[in-house]
């Protein structure tokens, strides 16, 4: 589906709706470039774009089928960047990963979006209102998109961090929840997220080092800044991975300790009740000569004795922390 | 066993059955090459091929004995690529690994297959019907085979992923299965699979970088694409390894928690039954003066009391989540 | 907030209070430089500094928003170093991490401090009283700050080491504490601390290797010395990480062993009390012909027998180490 | 002890017994070299060899004291290769590691063997009967020895693999063995074996790359082949290490699950027996008015009731998988 | 404290006691050098040495305060090597680490020792009696010291290995010791020892590669030999680390298995005693019509029945391995 198609001249978006054919005819002009935005295009929808911009068939395949790893590839004079935008979905504690492909030539940008996690619309609007920045050409668009995608990692990571804080609190709380499953699921999200962001470090590093002449040298520092945030995200995810692995292990000990507490409590009660049972058994024996049985207050005395023993045991266990 | 032997001229397969001797005599021609396919050949079967193409004795040894690690080797003007095709066998949840050796010269391709996991036949048929592609010569055949082998990693990995999803569901399900063995066995498959695919990354990277003049420079991008899929496969296997290791650990906690639940349930019942036993013991004592014993409704009163105590305990334990 | 602003000429601080405008006008002089210290500045406060020193907008953003990873960046003729000072807070066993940004040009140093963990004031006073050292210019200030920050890692690490010693003692003490939570929390501190100090090793290594002409070559050895301490800190933190991970595991075994001890103790008592209960049950049977029941000393004999059995069991369990 | 001493001319072994002095005098000849084999030589035995071949004192020390790590060293025009032959000893499931030092000059090979794990005799016999190969000089001898040592790693690794298969079967078998100790001991063997073979990869890589002019360039491919086997051995050992570590963890879960089963079984029986005890207690109470006691069939009715309850519980537990 | 001060000419130690001033005046001579040995010097004691040899203030600080990591530093024409001698202290199973600093110039060696773990005295005596070796100058002294320190790692590692062997034996012994604490403490020693020796590999590698002209090229092979021992020590420590980590895990399983055994034993006894209790309860019921009660041999028959049941259960449990 074609989401948006626009011609930019001297950084300004030309007014009115532009269709593909029109865009093709205008892209040769000085200081002009075309930005075409697509959403999960079919092979048919992509056909005309492919032939107009002479895109490499492998790049086209990537654009249509998605499920690529994040990467930066150079095909002759075209650069293809594959990004994985991330969005934290709170109720399910899941990181939703989309896919975003950016084809970059000297006079065109083609963005292909898969999944819901990315918000290209906002980037487009921001850029439309900032002609100075758009004068930087396709490279400026690439930076804006990359910057947004990486910036959006921030809240996603914060979402995970909050979950981890909750899990930690749960882990050592006196209440007997079992955060094992939650820890494991967070671990899975962290691993998937890391795989979505870590492979970008190298490509963005190359963009910052100015390896590509599609990119304006003046934007080097900006790409370096993006890379910085990327490395920070990766390091935070690594730290989370370490923490979650350790908390799986800590959880084991907590489970063992709670088991211990339960067992002690149960056995304390069993011990308390075993004493009157034994005493009653003794006075239930049928010996001829059991003087206590004939005492007037034998029965209440024994009852009191039982009560005293049970209470003493209860107090003792209480003090020992078993009850 | 010789599976197939054909001469390709200008990308087109010459009609009719071709025997080895004929193939040898034709390979010198312009734009022609020979493709010989073998299946678990014996040393005798391989002898004539070895002498015709002057294959290195070490390469021949590899072809006959198999059990090599995936690798790319250069012997003078011949390239030997050893691949490990993989196939997911569902009922046993096992990755079946075959072995495929490709000898590549300027005018010949010799493929040697061990085990069942590879489907060279399909590749051959596809290429036979695409002369344009076959005009690329032996390098095109190599790419087609490599592409198929690596593409086939996809479903194998998906098979494992589905198993892991099932294992995860089992791990945290309220039913008391023990997925420990299944996790361990999946881990073993993942490790073996990884050893079959990861060592290929470097060689294919070299093919993509155009280190070998047996390979047409125009196919560079295609080898890079294959490498991309290879790296993706390796990363996915690494992720699975991480997940399975963590799930072994999570399983430990689950085992502990279930143990805890069982123990609490059992002990709750024991506690419930211990109370009437103790009470009965008390009224079984033989004291002379136990007024309750003479009451008309003493017996039913005690029975009711027992019932009330047991029911209360039951309700209490139920609420505490112990039953 | 502007904390301090001073002009240094030939290493000596010019007397009297200096405001920003004055400082700007004086910075062109021979052998003079300006040192401006800020504390969590707002964008407005930073505006004039930014335009006077022509700071890069990205560097300015870092200065205002903080939450950077430690890094060294070069913008044209300005060097930006981001440091993470650390302070050990004893009662909570937490490493408090601040953030310190140093902008370094040929004739200015701008320090921006976030959080409380750093004590720039002390560094400034020390330098003010050592004109010889200050003659080294902005590079000397950078070294002094870096040296202090890294030196302050020492006590923070010692604080953690002491905690780890306590945790180890607790881990294997006969008392039944559960150091699991404390181990985990220390682990989290160690990981965060490591992330604050390890990324500095590379930048400081570059400072020592003399990559930057803002830094006087004569101070190379000093930066190398700082780097040495930095590497030592990182290695110590790595060692702690290893130890804490192992102690999480050792804790598991301790928990299991204590559980075992408790279970044996409880069951020993249950066994001791089960014997008189069984004996009493036997003599409570209603058989016509039970000769013992008629014996004059039957009852006391049974009581004594019970006592002897219980005592023997007690002694036996005691000797076996179960009680 | 001097095991063998021979002069080879044009690849052929000179007939008759050769003593050291004779060998020394002949080594200058064209196309001739000397091969001296020693077994755990003393310093005295080695003295004459040392002075004749001007061996470096450090190399000599290595030869006599053994306990070196595998390595390749160059002393002027002499190459010293230290190998660790391995042999799998079945009954004890141990990898026996020997030590083999090869001193290699242009016209001599000196082999020093420590321990029993290597079978140089077989290599020597094979080479004696293959003059074509021996014409390659000392380099050919080196290759033959290296090839044999690395080939012998194969069966040793297979031995370990079989043990691991057995351990896996044991791990998940319904029988309650504890493979913990066996896993641990195999892990120790794998680690020691890996230390014996992995450090060789680099040196043999250098031999294959033709860094040494004592080695005939024509044998490059052969050394590469050896290296391939070496890398394969190392990778297999790494895989085993991973598997054994995971199986230690899986064993923990198995132990926990068995514990759970035992506990449930025991407690099921205790529950079954607790019911008749309680019922009997009730009818053992001494109330005046207990109508059941006077019924003619009260006693058998209660017995039958007890039996029914116990049987029902038994069937119930059986179905729940607790018995 | 100055421990020793001597002048060496042509490798021979000049007779008589030499004080510092004298040593200073003689160091300019041909083929002569000074060796000054210090033990934990104060800043004052070190002052004259510092000014005579123009030592770098940072190097001096290191010498006085110690607590450096092992390293090699070059200050102009002076080399500073920091070593960590190790000594195994048997009763406490601790590796005692000292610190040894060697300042090396063209005509002087200054050794500074901290802690007790190093035995420089022996090295000095050995060298004093070997003028040929001492003719190598300061570099020969450096080698002798380094060689001794690294050689001394051998017995320390052996001490740890013996401990690990004992721990392994304890781990799987039928006796119920808990080697958890010992494993953990050994792990801590191994980690500390590794940190003391591994960082030396790189510097000694540089010494062997002849990067420093203070070192006689002829001693290259000797430094390489030292490095070999160093790498061996590091690899052994790595292996120990792996083993100890695995044994922590194996210990967990052992703890679980012992727990299981205890529980089965206890519950077997409880089951044995529960049966006569239940039987006695039955015959303690007060039914009118219980024919067995009137039998003459009812009582002994029941006693015998109880005994038979208990014995059968005992034999059964014994056979099942529960008792």
């Amino acid at each position: 589906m074609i989401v948006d198609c626009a011609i930019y001249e001297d950084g300004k978006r030309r007014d009115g709706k532009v269709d593909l054919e029109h865009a093709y005819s205008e892209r040769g002009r000085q200081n002009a470039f075309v930005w075409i935005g697509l959403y999960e295009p079919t092979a048919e929808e992509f056909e005309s774009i492919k032939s107009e911009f002479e895109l490499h068939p492998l790049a086209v395949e990537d654009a249509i089928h998605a499920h690529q790893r994040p990467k930066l590839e150079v095909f002759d004079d075209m650069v293809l960047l594959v990004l994985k935008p991330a969005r934290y979905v709170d109720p399910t504690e899941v990181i939703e990963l989309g896919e975003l492909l950016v084809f970059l030539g000297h006079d065109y940008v083609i963005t292909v979006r898969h999944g819901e996690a990315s918000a290209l619309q906002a980037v487009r609007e921001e850029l439309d209102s900032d002609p100075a920045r758009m004068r930087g050409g396709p490279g400026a668009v690439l930076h804006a998109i990359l910057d947004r995608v990486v910036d959006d990692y921030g809240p996603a990571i914060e979402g995970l961090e909050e979950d981890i804080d909750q899990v930690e609190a749960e882990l050592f709380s006196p209440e007997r929840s079992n955060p094992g499953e939650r820890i494991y699921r967070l671990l899975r999200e962290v691993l998937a997220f890391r795989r979505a962001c870590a492979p970008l470090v190298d490509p963005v590093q190359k963009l910052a080092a100015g390896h590509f002449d599609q990119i304006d040298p003046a934007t080097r520092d900006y790409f370096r800044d993006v890379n910085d945030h990327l490395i920070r995200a990766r390091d935070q995810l690594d730290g989370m991975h370490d923490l979650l692995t350790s908390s799986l292990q800590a959880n084991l000990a907590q489970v063992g300790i709670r088991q211990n507490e339960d067992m002690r409590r149960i056995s304390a009660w069993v011990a308390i009740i075993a004493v009157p049972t034994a005493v009653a058994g003794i006075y239930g024996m049928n010996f001829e000569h059991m003087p206590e049985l004939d005492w007037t207050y034998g029965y209440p005395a024994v009852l009191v004795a039982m009560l005293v023993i049970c209470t003493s045991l209860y107090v003792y266990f209480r003090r020992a922390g078993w009850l």
Side-chain angles (χ1 to χ4, degrees), chain A:
Chain A
M1 196 174 76
I2 296 169
V3 175
D4 201 353
C5 172
I7 301 163
Y8 294 82
E9 268 185 287
D10 287 327
K12 285 176 65 182
R13 182 179 181 141
R14 190 179 295 183
D15 287 341
K17 215 169 170 303
V18 176
D19 64 9
L20 281 184
E21 298 308 318
H22 188 193
Y24 296 164
S25 64
E26 300 285 328
R27 57 180 269 243
R29 290 173 173 242
Q30 184 74 15
N31 291 328
F33 71 92
V34 172
W35 180 0
I36 301 167
L38 297 148
Y39 176 69
E40 298 187 356
T42 60
E44 294 73 37
E45 289 175 335
F46 211 72
E47 190 53 42
S48 109
I49 291 168
K50 177 188 162 185
S51 56
E52 167 65 19
F53 298 99
E54 294 174 350
L55 302 179
H56 195 285
L58 287 171
V60 170
E61 216 183 281
D62 287 358
I64 292 163
H65 296 306
H67 294 302
Q68 300 296 315
R69 49 193 294 273
K71 62 178 175 184
L72 177 87
E73 296 213 332
V74 187
F75 296 92
D76 302 320
D77 58 345
M78 191 261 285
V79 172
L80 167 61
L81 185 70
V82 181
L83 298 172
K84 294 272 187 187
R87 200 159 62 95
Y88 177 73
V89 184
D90 196 20
T92 52
E93 298 195 343
V94 155
I95 294 293
E96 199 182 282
L97 294 169
E99 193 161 328
L100 190 58
L101 297 99
V102 186
F103 296 81
L104 196 81
H106 278 101
D107 55 0
Y108 63 90
V109 187
I110 301 160
T111 50
V112 180
R113 182 160 64 87
H114 289 262
E116 295 302 323
S118 57
L120 269 183
Q121 192 54 31
V123 180
R124 169 96 74 161
E125 280 161 16
E126 201 186 305
L127 286 173
D128 283 354
S129 63
D130 188 352
R133 199 167 163 195
M134 277 306 257
R135 234 167 269 137
V141 176
L142 181 69
H143 171 260
I145 293 171
L146 192 57
D147 195 40
R148 167 62 55 109
V149 167
V150 174
D151 267 9
D152 283 353
Y153 287 167
I157 286 176
E158 269 161 42
L160 288 176
E161 262 172 352
E162 215 166 288
D163 286 344
I164 290 176
D165 284 351
Q166 284 172 23
V167 157
E168 283 175 3
E170 203 181 333
L171 191 57
F172 301 111
S173 81
E175 276 163 53
R176 272 125 193 291
S177 54
N178 167 25
E181 180 170 4
R182 210 174 155 197
I183 294 170
Y184 178 81
R185 298 215 179 278
L186 281 170
L187 196 58
R188 200 176 54 179
E189 292 308 302
V190 166
L191 281 169
F193 196 173
R194 199 194 179 287
R195 270 208 306 283
C197 98
L200 277 177
V201 170
D202 257 22
V204 177
Q205 167 64 24
K206 277 183 196 161
L207 288 170
H211 284 202
F212 304 106
D213 54 350
Q214 289 88 340
I215 310 291
D216 182 1
T219 59
R220 264 183 73 165
D221 286 335
Y222 290 92
F223 281 108
R224 195 176 61 182
D225 186 63
V226 171
N227 207 25
D228 235 61
H229 292 141
L230 208 50
I231 292 176
R232 192 163 175 259
R234 189 194 57 187
D235 289 356
Q236 282 177 307
L237 288 168
D238 282 347
M240 285 180 193
H241 183 234
D242 255 349
L243 270 186
L244 287 169
T245 306
S246 295
S247 67
L248 263 188
Q249 194 121 33
N251 189 30
L252 271 182
Q254 296 305 104
V255 166
I257 283 161
R258 281 168 196 165
Q259 192 165 356
N260 219 357
E261 281 169 11
D262 286 347
M263 199 182 65
R264 290 191 311 217
R265 177 170 304 142
I266 292 162
S267 57
W269 281 115
V270 168
I272 288 175
I273 216 157
V275 171
T277 307
V279 170
I282 287 167
Y283 289 106
M285 294 192 293
N286 298 319
F287 285 97
E288 289 288 308
H289 305 283
M290 291 177 69
E292 299 97 319
L293 297 182
D294 303 330
W295 295 353
T296 311
Y297 298 106
Y299 174 54
V302 162
L303 284 187
V304 167
M306 284 177 178
L307 205 71
V308 167
I309 293 173
C310 289
T311 311
S312 310
L313 280 173
Y314 178 81
V315 170
Y316 172 78
F317 287 137
R318 195 89 212 200
R319 284 204 186 136
W322 288 33
L323 280 174

